[in-house]
Amino acid sequence: MSVLTEFPATYSPLPLRHAGIAGLGMYVPEQAVTNAEIAKRVETTDEWIASRTGIRERRVTRPDEASSDLALIACRQALEDAQVDPAELDLVLCATATGDYVWPATACILQDALGATKAGAFDLSAACSGFCYGLATATGFIQSGMMEKILVVGVDTLTKHLNWDDRSTCILFGDGAGAAVLTPCAPDEGILSSVLRADGSGLKSVWLPAGGTRTPTTAETLESGRNCLQMQGKEVYKFAVETVPDVIQEALDKACLKPSDISLLVMHQANIRILESAARRFGISMERVAVNVDRYGNTSAASVPIALRESAEQKRLKRGDIVVTVGFGAGLTWGANVIRWNRDY
Ligand code: UT7
């Protein structure tokens, strides 16, 4: 008999210490591009974009601005909010699909710029689910006792990978960064549960076909637009509406909580109709749903932490509140975290 099968079925490990969010930060580029401005370039209208997606404008980086420039500002704000010195960090974890370079990791650029002299650093690739994946990963490191202080940043500059002549995608995305500092916290507070899922058979539902080792960049890939984001919008919409409620319910079950316990639902901001659909399914009023898709569009890995920071600034986060974060996107990937908020804002 193996060692594992000798444990009784009811065996549960000793309670692990918890990890909580000690500080939050965000940054979006200065330049706002309205729907009306996009309508000057492609055949669309402000009315079509606003009614189908909820988006009114998005922020776009300058040509000389890269993902780490945005992330660095968000990281510094989160560290200040948490009153953590960069030199105390054990890890810089950057969730991004749009790193400064193909390699090395953007997290290493941040580690150096911040002066996180005793931290490890790596990037995590889970597209729009990246921040939720990052929270789960950082929680594991802290719960196990391996690390104490971790900076998780979600950043994307997808506007650099858009075909601005493709009206089915160029209207949707914006750039931004959001960061959180995780530290050990009291039992029963902080991240109570995480659920991560993937379905790689949906690879081509939303992807960037060329520029990797499968299809390196050539004059032909550039000419045919394969170095730009491509998406089957309807497929992704259906996937999101189906999977988001299930993953929220699963994460709540793991934390022994119910939908009515949710104080604030912080979902990936892809389309207001996806947010409304999930809220309806759980009977949650839109007052308890964080929304920034109207002002920033889909900022990929940054949307959830930006919404968290804005909720903190709006004094919508109180100690003891149950906050549920949800990500979904390319991969396909999706996931959720249930958090009992462990500080007042
Ligand atoms: O972060 C990754 C996750 N991404 C998402 O979650 C995106 C999920 N998908 C969506 O949000 C929606 O599918 C879209 C907003 C992308 C599209 O909305 P839709 O209601 O699914 O529209 P559709 O693609 O079915 O297009 C309906 C019509 C089409 O015309 P016909 O064939 O009915 O004549 C499109 O050609 O709307 C047309 N259309 C547009 N019209 C004006 C597509 N894009 C536009 C546009 N302006 N920008």
Side-chain angles (χ1 to χ4, degrees):
M1 188 189 272
S2 86
V3 175
L4 282 176
T5 55
E6 281 168 17
F7 286 118
T10 52
Y11 170 80
S12 71
L14 286 172
L16 297 165
R17 68 174 178 172
H18 277 208
I21 293 179
L24 291 163
M26 65 163 276
Y27 181 73
V28 289
E30 276 164 28
Q31 194 198 352
V33 175
T34 62
N35 292 345
E37 286 170 84
I38 293 188
K40 287 184 194 151
R41 178 158 182 164
V42 291
E43 203 184 326
T44 190
T45 59
D46 174 44
E47 199 282 327
W48 193 96
I49 302 171
S51 63
R52 299 275 180 139
T53 70
I55 300 167
R56 297 210 167 267
E57 60 179 41
R58 70 286 294 140
R59 300 297 180 94
V60 177
T61 44
R62 298 184 311 265
D64 66 327
E65 245 175 344
S67 288
S68 71
D69 299 320
L70 276 52
L72 187 58
I73 298 171
C75 288
R76 287 194 170 127
Q77 194 180 54
L79 286 162
E80 194 188 324
D81 187 35
Q83 298 188 330
V84 167
D85 189 287
E88 298 170 52
L89 288 171
D90 297 301
L91 180 67
V92 178
L93 201 172
C94 180
T96 188
T98 54
D100 286 19
Y101 303 101
V102 174
W103 58 271
T106 298
C108 294
I109 298 168
L110 296 171
Q111 173 276 326
D112 178 48
L114 289 166
T117 45
K118 73 171 188 72
F122 67 88
D123 284 2
L124 185 157
S125 173
C128 304
S129 314
F131 185 77
C132 294
Y133 268 59
L135 276 190
T137 307
T139 301
F141 281 131
I142 291 174
Q143 280 188 335
S144 71
M146 187 172 161
M147 293 183 186
E148 297 285 319
K149 293 180 182 167
I150 301 180
L151 178 62
V152 180
V153 54
V155 58
D156 272 308
T157 50
L158 275 169
T159 66
K160 290 182 187 282
H161 293 285
L162 292 178
N163 174 354
W164 286 97
D165 294 320
D166 173 8
R167 70 175 183 177
S168 71
T169 53
C170 76
I171 59 158
L172 297 172
F173 297 91
D175 301 331
V181 176
L182 270 74
T183 57
C185 69
D188 275 354
E189 291 190 325
I191 288 97
L192 304 180
S193 70
S194 293
V195 176
L196 305 181
R197 291 282 183 274
D199 176 7
S201 72
L203 169 80
K204 296 182 183 176
S205 301
V206 45
W207 69 321
L208 208 155
T213 54
R214 174 73 59 197
T215 310
T217 301
T218 61
E220 187 281 321
T221 62
L222 290 169
E223 178 64 25
S224 64
R226 286 194 290 160
N227 287 82
C228 292
L229 178 149
Q230 295 184 4
M231 185 173 73
Q232 307 300 321
K234 269 224 174 317
E235 258 177 42
V236 182
Y237 187 89
K238 194 164 171 278
F239 145 76
V241 167
E242 282 169 6
T243 56
V244 164
D246 288 352
V247 82
I248 292 173
Q249 187 62 58
E250 206 176 327
L252 284 170
D253 289 346
K254 267 178 100 171
C256 300
L257 292 168
K258 3 182 238 315
S260 57
D261 294 319
I262 299 174
S263 313
L264 189 66
L265 191 51
V266 185
M267 290 181 272
H268 170 50
Q269 310 279 310
N271 187 321
I272 190 75
R273 291 187 290 142
I274 297 173
L275 308 188
E276 288 168 349
S277 161
R280 250 193 326 270
R281 165 88 176 263
F282 289 116
I284 293 174
S285 80
M286 284 303 283
E287 273 113 67
R288 286 196 282 147
V289 178
V291 177
N292 64 39
V293 69
D294 52 336
R295 288 164 293 133
Y296 306 137
N298 178 343
T299 53
S300 189
S303 73
V304 168
I306 287 175
L308 284 174
R309 170 73 199 195
E310 288 192 333
S311 301
E313 285 171 4
Q314 294 154 4
K315 310 272 179 224
R316 292 171 83 187
L317 294 172
K318 296 269 168 293
R319 189 167 194 169
D321 281 357
I322 295 297
V323 179
V324 177
T325 51
V326 187
F328 55 89
L332 296 167
T333 55
W334 63 105
N337 322 91
V338 175
I339 307 166
R340 194 187 304 279
W341 210 257
N342 61 306
R343 61 167 283 194
D344 280 322
Y345 274 101

Short mmCIF file of all heavy atoms in Angstrom, two decimals, residues 119-184:
data_model
loop_
_atom_site.label_atom_id
_atom_site.label_comp_id
_atom_site.label_asym_id
_atom_site.label_seq_id
_atom_site.Cartn_x
_atom_site.Cartn_y
_atom_site.Cartn_z
N ALA A 119 14.55 39.50 -4.59
CA ALA A 119 13.37 38.83 -5.14
C ALA A 119 13.71 37.98 -6.36
O ALA A 119 14.57 38.33 -7.16
CB ALA A 119 12.34 39.89 -5.54
N GLY A 120 12.98 36.86 -6.50
CA GLY A 120 12.94 36.15 -7.78
C GLY A 120 11.95 36.88 -8.68
O GLY A 120 11.19 37.73 -8.21
N ALA A 121 11.95 36.54 -9.96
CA ALA A 121 11.03 37.24 -10.87
C ALA A 121 10.72 36.33 -12.05
O ALA A 121 11.62 35.73 -12.62
CB ALA A 121 11.67 38.54 -11.38
N PHE A 122 9.42 36.24 -12.35
CA PHE A 122 9.05 35.51 -13.58
C PHE A 122 7.72 36.04 -14.12
O PHE A 122 6.95 36.65 -13.39
CB PHE A 122 9.00 34.00 -13.37
CG PHE A 122 7.92 33.48 -12.45
CD1 PHE A 122 6.65 33.18 -12.92
CD2 PHE A 122 8.20 33.26 -11.10
CE1 PHE A 122 5.67 32.68 -12.07
CE2 PHE A 122 7.23 32.75 -10.24
CZ PHE A 122 5.95 32.47 -10.74
N ASP A 123 7.50 35.77 -15.41
CA ASP A 123 6.23 36.14 -16.05
C ASP A 123 5.31 34.93 -16.07
O ASP A 123 5.77 33.78 -16.12
CB ASP A 123 6.47 36.58 -17.51
CG ASP A 123 7.05 37.97 -17.61
OD1 ASP A 123 7.31 38.59 -16.55
OD2 ASP A 123 7.25 38.43 -18.75
N LEU A 124 4.04 35.24 -16.08
CA LEU A 124 3.03 34.19 -16.13
C LEU A 124 2.14 34.50 -17.33
O LEU A 124 1.68 35.62 -17.49
CB LEU A 124 2.26 34.27 -14.81
CG LEU A 124 1.19 33.27 -14.46
CD1 LEU A 124 0.99 33.23 -12.95
CD2 LEU A 124 -0.11 33.58 -15.15
N SER A 125 1.94 33.49 -18.18
CA SER A 125 1.18 33.72 -19.42
C SER A 125 -0.19 33.07 -19.33
O SER A 125 -0.32 31.87 -19.53
CB SER A 125 1.98 33.16 -20.59
OG SER A 125 1.22 33.23 -21.76
N ALA A 126 -1.19 33.84 -18.97
CA ALA A 126 -2.56 33.32 -18.96
C ALA A 126 -3.52 34.38 -19.47
O ALA A 126 -4.70 34.41 -19.10
CB ALA A 126 -2.96 32.85 -17.56
N ALA A 127 -3.00 35.26 -20.32
CA ALA A 127 -3.80 36.30 -20.99
C ALA A 127 -4.71 37.04 -20.00
O ALA A 127 -4.24 37.48 -18.96
CB ALA A 127 -4.58 35.68 -22.15
N CYS A 128 -5.99 37.14 -20.33
CA CYS A 128 -6.90 37.94 -19.49
C CYS A 128 -7.17 37.30 -18.13
O CYS A 128 -7.72 37.96 -17.25
CB CYS A 128 -8.22 38.18 -20.21
SG CYS A 128 -8.02 38.93 -21.82
N SER A 129 -6.82 36.03 -17.96
CA SER A 129 -6.97 35.37 -16.65
C SER A 129 -5.71 35.55 -15.81
O SER A 129 -5.63 35.04 -14.69
CB SER A 129 -7.21 33.87 -16.82
OG SER A 129 -8.16 33.61 -17.80
N GLY A 130 -4.70 36.23 -16.35
CA GLY A 130 -3.37 36.25 -15.75
C GLY A 130 -3.33 36.71 -14.30
O GLY A 130 -2.62 36.12 -13.48
N PHE A 131 -4.10 37.75 -13.96
CA PHE A 131 -4.02 38.25 -12.59
C PHE A 131 -4.62 37.23 -11.61
O PHE A 131 -4.07 37.02 -10.52
CB PHE A 131 -4.71 39.61 -12.45
CG PHE A 131 -4.53 40.21 -11.08
CD1 PHE A 131 -3.34 40.82 -10.73
CD2 PHE A 131 -5.55 40.15 -10.14
CE1 PHE A 131 -3.15 41.35 -9.45
CE2 PHE A 131 -5.38 40.69 -8.86
CZ PHE A 131 -4.18 41.29 -8.52
N CYS A 132 -5.72 36.59 -12.00
CA CYS A 132 -6.33 35.57 -11.12
C CYS A 132 -5.40 34.37 -10.96
O CYS A 132 -5.26 33.82 -9.86
CB CYS A 132 -7.69 35.15 -11.66
SG CYS A 132 -8.90 36.49 -11.62
N TYR A 133 -4.75 33.96 -12.05
CA TYR A 133 -3.74 32.91 -11.96
C TYR A 133 -2.59 33.36 -11.05
O TYR A 133 -2.06 32.59 -10.26
CB TYR A 133 -3.18 32.58 -13.35
CG TYR A 133 -3.87 31.47 -14.11
CD1 TYR A 133 -5.23 31.54 -14.42
CD2 TYR A 133 -3.16 30.35 -14.53
CE1 TYR A 133 -5.85 30.52 -15.14
CE2 TYR A 133 -3.78 29.32 -15.25
CZ TYR A 133 -5.12 29.41 -15.55
OH TYR A 133 -5.73 28.40 -16.25
N GLY A 134 -2.20 34.61 -11.17
CA GLY A 134 -1.09 35.15 -10.36
C GLY A 134 -1.43 35.18 -8.88
O GLY A 134 -0.60 34.83 -8.04
N LEU A 135 -2.66 35.58 -8.56
CA LEU A 135 -3.08 35.59 -7.14
C LEU A 135 -3.02 34.18 -6.56
O LEU A 135 -2.55 33.99 -5.44
CB LEU A 135 -4.53 36.09 -7.02
CG LEU A 135 -4.82 37.58 -6.97
CD1 LEU A 135 -6.28 37.82 -6.59
CD2 LEU A 135 -3.91 38.30 -5.98
N ALA A 136 -3.51 33.21 -7.34
CA ALA A 136 -3.51 31.82 -6.86
C ALA A 136 -2.07 31.33 -6.65
O ALA A 136 -1.76 30.68 -5.64
CB ALA A 136 -4.23 30.92 -7.86
N THR A 137 -1.19 31.65 -7.58
CA THR A 137 0.20 31.20 -7.50
C THR A 137 0.90 31.82 -6.29
O THR A 137 1.56 31.13 -5.50
CB THR A 137 0.95 31.60 -8.80
OG1 THR A 137 0.22 31.11 -9.90
CG2 THR A 137 2.36 31.06 -8.82
N ALA A 138 0.73 33.12 -6.12
CA ALA A 138 1.37 33.82 -4.99
C ALA A 138 0.82 33.30 -3.66
O ALA A 138 1.57 33.13 -2.69
CB ALA A 138 1.14 35.32 -5.11
N THR A 139 -0.48 33.03 -3.62
CA THR A 139 -1.09 32.50 -2.40
C THR A 139 -0.41 31.18 -2.01
O THR A 139 -0.10 30.96 -0.84
CB THR A 139 -2.61 32.27 -2.61
OG1 THR A 139 -3.20 33.52 -2.95
CG2 THR A 139 -3.27 31.72 -1.38
N GLY A 140 -0.19 30.33 -3.00
CA GLY A 140 0.45 29.03 -2.73
C GLY A 140 1.83 29.20 -2.13
O GLY A 140 2.19 28.51 -1.18
N PHE A 141 2.62 30.13 -2.68
CA PHE A 141 3.97 30.35 -2.16
C PHE A 141 3.92 30.84 -0.70
O PHE A 141 4.74 30.43 0.12
CB PHE A 141 4.72 31.39 -3.00
CG PHE A 141 5.28 30.86 -4.30
CD1 PHE A 141 5.07 31.53 -5.49
CD2 PHE A 141 6.04 29.70 -4.33
CE1 PHE A 141 5.60 31.05 -6.69
CE2 PHE A 141 6.58 29.21 -5.52
CZ PHE A 141 6.35 29.89 -6.70
N ILE A 142 2.97 31.71 -0.40
CA ILE A 142 2.88 32.26 0.97
C ILE A 142 2.31 31.21 1.92
O ILE A 142 2.83 31.01 3.02
CB ILE A 142 2.07 33.57 0.98
CG1 ILE A 142 2.85 34.67 0.27
CG2 ILE A 142 1.73 34.00 2.42
CD1 ILE A 142 2.10 35.98 0.08
N GLN A 143 1.26 30.50 1.47
CA GLN A 143 0.66 29.49 2.35
C GLN A 143 1.65 28.39 2.72
O GLN A 143 1.64 27.89 3.84
CB GLN A 143 -0.53 28.84 1.64
CG GLN A 143 -1.80 29.67 1.70
CD GLN A 143 -3.00 28.93 1.15
OE1 GLN A 143 -2.86 28.01 0.34
NE2 GLN A 143 -4.18 29.33 1.59
N SER A 144 2.51 28.04 1.78
CA SER A 144 3.45 26.95 2.04
C SER A 144 4.57 27.37 2.99
O SER A 144 5.32 26.53 3.47
CB SER A 144 4.07 26.48 0.73
OG SER A 144 4.96 27.47 0.25
N GLY A 145 4.71 28.69 3.21
CA GLY A 145 5.78 29.18 4.07
C GLY A 145 7.05 29.47 3.29
O GLY A 145 8.06 29.90 3.85
N MET A 146 7.02 29.26 1.98
CA MET A 146 8.23 29.46 1.17
C MET A 146 8.57 30.95 1.00
O MET A 146 9.72 31.32 0.88
CB MET A 146 7.99 28.83 -0.20
CG MET A 146 9.17 28.78 -1.10
SD MET A 146 8.70 27.79 -2.53
CE MET A 146 9.94 28.32 -3.68
N MET A 147 7.54 31.80 0.98
CA MET A 147 7.76 33.24 0.77
C MET A 147 6.86 34.07 1.69
O MET A 147 5.84 33.57 2.17
CB MET A 147 7.47 33.62 -0.69
CG MET A 147 8.45 33.02 -1.67
SD MET A 147 8.11 33.57 -3.34
CE MET A 147 9.30 32.56 -4.24
N GLU A 148 7.24 35.36 1.86
CA GLU A 148 6.49 36.26 2.75
C GLU A 148 5.80 37.39 1.97
O GLU A 148 4.65 37.70 2.22
CB GLU A 148 7.43 36.92 3.76
CG GLU A 148 8.13 35.98 4.71
CD GLU A 148 7.21 35.45 5.79
OE1 GLU A 148 6.41 36.23 6.32
OE2 GLU A 148 7.29 34.24 6.08
N LYS A 149 6.54 38.01 1.05
CA LYS A 149 6.01 39.21 0.40
C LYS A 149 6.15 39.09 -1.13
O LYS A 149 7.27 38.95 -1.63
CB LYS A 149 6.75 40.46 0.91
CG LYS A 149 6.42 40.69 2.38
CD LYS A 149 7.08 41.88 2.99
CE LYS A 149 6.67 41.93 4.47
NZ LYS A 149 7.44 42.84 5.26
N ILE A 150 5.02 39.17 -1.79
CA ILE A 150 5.02 38.95 -3.24
C ILE A 150 4.27 40.09 -3.93
O ILE A 150 3.19 40.48 -3.50
CB ILE A 150 4.36 37.59 -3.59
CG1 ILE A 150 5.11 36.44 -2.91
CG2 ILE A 150 4.30 37.39 -5.11
CD1 ILE A 150 4.56 35.06 -3.19
N LEU A 151 4.87 40.58 -5.01
CA LEU A 151 4.22 41.61 -5.83
C LEU A 151 3.66 40.92 -7.08
O LEU A 151 4.41 40.29 -7.83
CB LEU A 151 5.26 42.66 -6.23
CG LEU A 151 4.83 43.80 -7.12
CD1 LEU A 151 3.77 44.66 -6.46
CD2 LEU A 151 6.05 44.65 -7.48
N VAL A 152 2.34 41.01 -7.26
CA VAL A 152 1.71 40.44 -8.45
C VAL A 152 1.21 41.60 -9.30
O VAL A 152 0.44 42.44 -8.82
CB VAL A 152 0.50 39.55 -8.08
CG1 VAL A 152 -0.14 38.95 -9.34
CG2 VAL A 152 0.92 38.43 -7.14
N VAL A 153 1.65 41.65 -10.55
CA VAL A 153 1.21 42.75 -11.42
C VAL A 153 0.62 42.16 -12.70
O VAL A 153 1.18 41.23 -13.28
CB VAL A 153 2.35 43.76 -11.71
CG1 VAL A 153 3.58 43.08 -12.25
CG2 VAL A 153 1.89 44.87 -12.63
N GLY A 154 -0.52 42.69 -13.10
CA GLY A 154 -1.13 42.33 -14.38
C GLY A 154 -0.99 43.52 -15.32
O GLY A 154 -1.42 44.63 -14.98
N VAL A 155 -0.36 43.30 -16.45
CA VAL A 155 -0.16 44.43 -17.39
C VAL A 155 -0.32 43.93 -18.82
O VAL A 155 0.12 42.83 -19.15
CB VAL A 155 1.24 45.09 -17.21
CG1 VAL A 155 2.38 44.11 -17.40
CG2 VAL A 155 1.40 46.29 -18.14
N ASP A 156 -0.97 44.72 -19.64
CA ASP A 156 -1.02 44.41 -21.07
C ASP A 156 -1.13 45.69 -21.89
O ASP A 156 -1.76 46.66 -21.47
CB ASP A 156 -2.17 43.45 -21.39
CG ASP A 156 -1.73 41.99 -21.26
OD1 ASP A 156 -0.71 41.63 -21.86
OD2 ASP A 156 -2.38 41.23 -20.53
N THR A 157 -0.46 45.63 -23.05
CA THR A 157 -0.53 46.74 -24.03
C THR A 157 -0.97 46.13 -25.36
O THR A 157 -0.23 46.15 -26.35
CB THR A 157 0.85 47.43 -24.15
OG1 THR A 157 1.86 46.43 -24.35
CG2 THR A 157 1.19 48.23 -22.91
N LEU A 158 -2.18 45.59 -25.35
CA LEU A 158 -2.67 44.87 -26.54
C LEU A 158 -2.90 45.79 -27.73
O LEU A 158 -2.98 45.32 -28.87
CB LEU A 158 -3.96 44.11 -26.21
CG LEU A 158 -3.72 42.72 -25.59
CD1 LEU A 158 -5.01 42.14 -25.04
CD2 LEU A 158 -3.12 41.75 -26.61
N THR A 159 -3.00 47.11 -27.47
CA THR A 159 -3.22 48.01 -28.61
C THR A 159 -2.04 47.96 -29.59
O THR A 159 -2.18 48.33 -30.75
CB THR A 159 -3.46 49.47 -28.18
OG1 THR A 159 -2.27 49.99 -27.59
CG2 THR A 159 -4.64 49.59 -27.22
N LYS A 160 -0.88 47.48 -29.08
CA LYS A 160 0.29 47.37 -29.97
C LYS A 160 0.17 46.15 -30.90
O LYS A 160 0.96 46.00 -31.82
CB LYS A 160 1.57 47.26 -29.15
CG LYS A 160 1.93 48.56 -28.44
CD LYS A 160 3.23 48.42 -27.68
CE LYS A 160 3.52 49.65 -26.85
NZ LYS A 160 4.05 50.78 -27.62
N HIS A 161 -0.78 45.27 -30.59
CA HIS A 161 -0.94 44.05 -31.40
C HIS A 161 -2.28 44.03 -32.11
O HIS A 161 -2.82 42.95 -32.41
CB HIS A 161 -0.81 42.81 -30.50
CG HIS A 161 0.55 42.63 -29.93
ND1 HIS A 161 1.62 42.17 -30.67
CD2 HIS A 161 1.04 42.88 -28.70
CE1 HIS A 161 2.70 42.13 -29.90
NE2 HIS A 161 2.37 42.56 -28.70
N LEU A 162 -2.88 45.20 -32.31
CA LEU A 162 -4.19 45.24 -32.98
C LEU A 162 -4.03 45.62 -34.44
O LEU A 162 -3.14 46.38 -34.81
CB LEU A 162 -5.08 46.28 -32.30
CG LEU A 162 -5.53 45.98 -30.87
CD1 LEU A 162 -6.37 47.13 -30.34
CD2 LEU A 162 -6.31 44.67 -30.80
N ASN A 163 -4.94 45.06 -35.24
CA ASN A 163 -5.09 45.53 -36.61
C ASN A 163 -6.14 46.65 -36.57
O ASN A 163 -7.33 46.38 -36.40
CB ASN A 163 -5.56 44.37 -37.50
CG ASN A 163 -5.87 44.83 -38.92
OD1 ASN A 163 -5.84 46.02 -39.22
ND2 ASN A 163 -6.15 43.88 -39.79
N TRP A 164 -5.69 47.89 -36.67
CA TRP A 164 -6.58 49.04 -36.51
C TRP A 164 -7.55 49.20 -37.67
O TRP A 164 -8.35 50.14 -37.69
CB TRP A 164 -5.78 50.31 -36.24
CG TRP A 164 -5.23 50.33 -34.85
CD1 TRP A 164 -3.98 49.96 -34.46
CD2 TRP A 164 -5.94 50.68 -33.64
NE1 TRP A 164 -3.84 50.06 -33.09
CE2 TRP A 164 -5.03 50.51 -32.56
CE3 TRP A 164 -7.22 51.13 -33.36
CZ2 TRP A 164 -5.38 50.77 -31.23
CZ3 TRP A 164 -7.58 51.39 -32.04
CH2 TRP A 164 -6.66 51.22 -30.99
N ASP A 165 -7.46 48.29 -38.65
CA ASP A 165 -8.45 48.30 -39.74
C ASP A 165 -9.48 47.19 -39.57
O ASP A 165 -10.36 47.03 -40.41
CB ASP A 165 -7.74 48.14 -41.10
CG ASP A 165 -6.88 49.36 -41.40
OD1 ASP A 165 -7.33 50.49 -41.10
OD2 ASP A 165 -5.75 49.18 -41.90
N ASP A 166 -9.37 46.41 -38.49
CA ASP A 166 -10.32 45.31 -38.25
C ASP A 166 -11.32 45.75 -37.17
O ASP A 166 -11.01 45.74 -35.98
CB ASP A 166 -9.53 44.06 -37.81
CG ASP A 166 -10.45 42.93 -37.38
OD1 ASP A 166 -11.69 43.05 -37.58
OD2 ASP A 166 -9.95 41.93 -36.83
N ARG A 167 -12.51 46.12 -37.61
CA ARG A 167 -13.48 46.69 -36.66
C ARG A 167 -13.97 45.67 -35.63
O ARG A 167 -14.52 46.04 -34.60
CB ARG A 167 -14.66 47.29 -37.41
CG ARG A 167 -15.57 46.25 -38.06
CD ARG A 167 -16.79 46.89 -38.67
NE ARG A 167 -17.68 45.88 -39.23
CZ ARG A 167 -18.85 46.13 -39.77
NH1 ARG A 167 -19.28 47.37 -39.87
NH2 ARG A 167 -19.59 45.16 -40.24
N SER A 168 -13.80 44.36 -35.92
CA SER A 168 -14.30 43.37 -34.97
C SER A 168 -13.39 43.23 -33.75
O SER A 168 -13.77 42.65 -32.74
CB SER A 168 -14.49 42.01 -35.66
OG SER A 168 -13.24 41.43 -35.97
N THR A 169 -12.15 43.73 -33.83
CA THR A 169 -11.25 43.65 -32.67
C THR A 169 -10.73 45.01 -32.19
O THR A 169 -10.57 45.21 -30.98
CB THR A 169 -10.01 42.76 -32.99
OG1 THR A 169 -9.39 43.24 -34.19
CG2 THR A 169 -10.40 41.29 -33.15
N CYS A 170 -10.50 45.95 -33.12
CA CYS A 170 -9.80 47.19 -32.70
C CYS A 170 -10.62 48.06 -31.75
O CYS A 170 -10.08 48.89 -31.04
CB CYS A 170 -9.32 47.99 -33.90
SG CYS A 170 -10.63 48.90 -34.74
N ILE A 171 -11.93 47.83 -31.70
CA ILE A 171 -12.79 48.64 -30.82
C ILE A 171 -12.74 48.18 -29.37
O ILE A 171 -13.19 48.88 -28.48
CB ILE A 171 -14.26 48.55 -31.29
CG1 ILE A 171 -14.72 47.07 -31.27
CG2 ILE A 171 -14.46 49.17 -32.66
CD1 ILE A 171 -16.19 46.88 -31.19
N LEU A 172 -12.18 46.97 -29.15
CA LEU A 172 -12.41 46.32 -27.85
C LEU A 172 -11.34 46.57 -26.79
O LEU A 172 -11.63 46.54 -25.60
CB LEU A 172 -12.50 44.79 -28.04
CG LEU A 172 -13.65 44.28 -28.90
CD1 LEU A 172 -13.49 42.79 -29.16
CD2 LEU A 172 -14.98 44.57 -28.22
N PHE A 173 -10.09 46.76 -27.22
CA PHE A 173 -8.99 46.66 -26.26
C PHE A 173 -8.37 48.02 -25.89
O PHE A 173 -8.42 48.96 -26.67
CB PHE A 173 -7.90 45.73 -26.81
CG PHE A 173 -8.40 44.33 -26.99
CD1 PHE A 173 -8.94 43.92 -28.20
CD2 PHE A 173 -8.35 43.42 -25.95
CE1 PHE A 173 -9.44 42.63 -28.37
CE2 PHE A 173 -8.83 42.13 -26.11
CZ PHE A 173 -9.37 41.74 -27.32
N GLY A 174 -7.80 48.05 -24.68
CA GLY A 174 -7.07 49.22 -24.20
C GLY A 174 -5.87 48.75 -23.39
O GLY A 174 -5.73 47.55 -23.12
N ASP A 175 -5.01 49.67 -23.01
CA ASP A 175 -3.78 49.32 -22.28
C ASP A 175 -3.89 49.73 -20.81
O ASP A 175 -4.57 50.70 -20.47
CB ASP A 175 -2.59 50.06 -22.90
CG ASP A 175 -2.40 49.73 -24.37
OD1 ASP A 175 -2.77 48.60 -24.78
OD2 ASP A 175 -1.90 50.60 -25.12
N GLY A 176 -3.18 49.00 -19.94
CA GLY A 176 -3.19 49.37 -18.53
C GLY A 176 -2.40 48.38 -17.68
O GLY A 176 -1.92 47.35 -18.18
N ALA A 177 -2.26 48.73 -16.40
CA ALA A 177 -1.54 47.87 -15.45
C ALA A 177 -2.19 47.99 -14.08
O ALA A 177 -2.67 49.06 -13.70
CB ALA A 177 -0.07 48.31 -15.35
N GLY A 178 -2.21 46.87 -13.36
CA GLY A 178 -2.71 46.88 -11.98
C GLY A 178 -1.87 45.93 -11.15
O GLY A 178 -1.43 44.90 -11.65
N ALA A 179 -1.62 46.30 -9.88
CA ALA A 179 -0.70 45.50 -9.06
C ALA A 179 -1.25 45.30 -7.65
O ALA A 179 -2.03 46.11 -7.15
CB ALA A 179 0.66 46.20 -8.99
N ALA A 180 -0.82 44.20 -7.03
CA ALA A 180 -1.20 43.92 -5.64
C ALA A 180 0.01 43.36 -4.91
O ALA A 180 0.79 42.58 -5.48
CB ALA A 180 -2.34 42.90 -5.60
N VAL A 181 0.16 43.76 -3.64
CA VAL A 181 1.21 43.18 -2.79
C VAL A 181 0.53 42.18 -1.87
O VAL A 181 -0.45 42.51 -1.20
CB VAL A 181 1.90 44.28 -1.95
CG1 VAL A 181 2.92 43.65 -0.99
CG2 VAL A 181 2.59 45.28 -2.86
N LEU A 182 1.04 40.95 -1.88
CA LEU A 182 0.48 39.91 -1.01
C LEU A 182 1.41 39.62 0.14
O LEU A 182 2.64 39.47 -0.05
CB LEU A 182 0.23 38.62 -1.81
CG LEU A 182 -1.15 38.52 -2.45
CD1 LEU A 182 -1.23 39.43 -3.66
CD2 LEU A 182 -1.46 37.09 -2.86
N THR A 183 0.84 39.52 1.35
CA THR A 183 1.62 39.20 2.56
C THR A 183 0.80 38.22 3.41
O THR A 183 -0.41 38.11 3.22
CB THR A 183 1.90 40.47 3.40
OG1 THR A 183 0.66 41.08 3.73
CG2 THR A 183 2.77 41.47 2.66
N PRO A 184 1.43 37.55 4.37
CA PRO A 184 0.65 36.66 5.25
C PRO A 184 -0.37 37.48 6.03
O PRO A 184 -0.13 38.65 6.36
CB PRO A 184 1.71 36.08 6.19
CG PRO A 184 3.00 36.23 5.47
CD PRO A 184 2.87 37.49 4.67
#
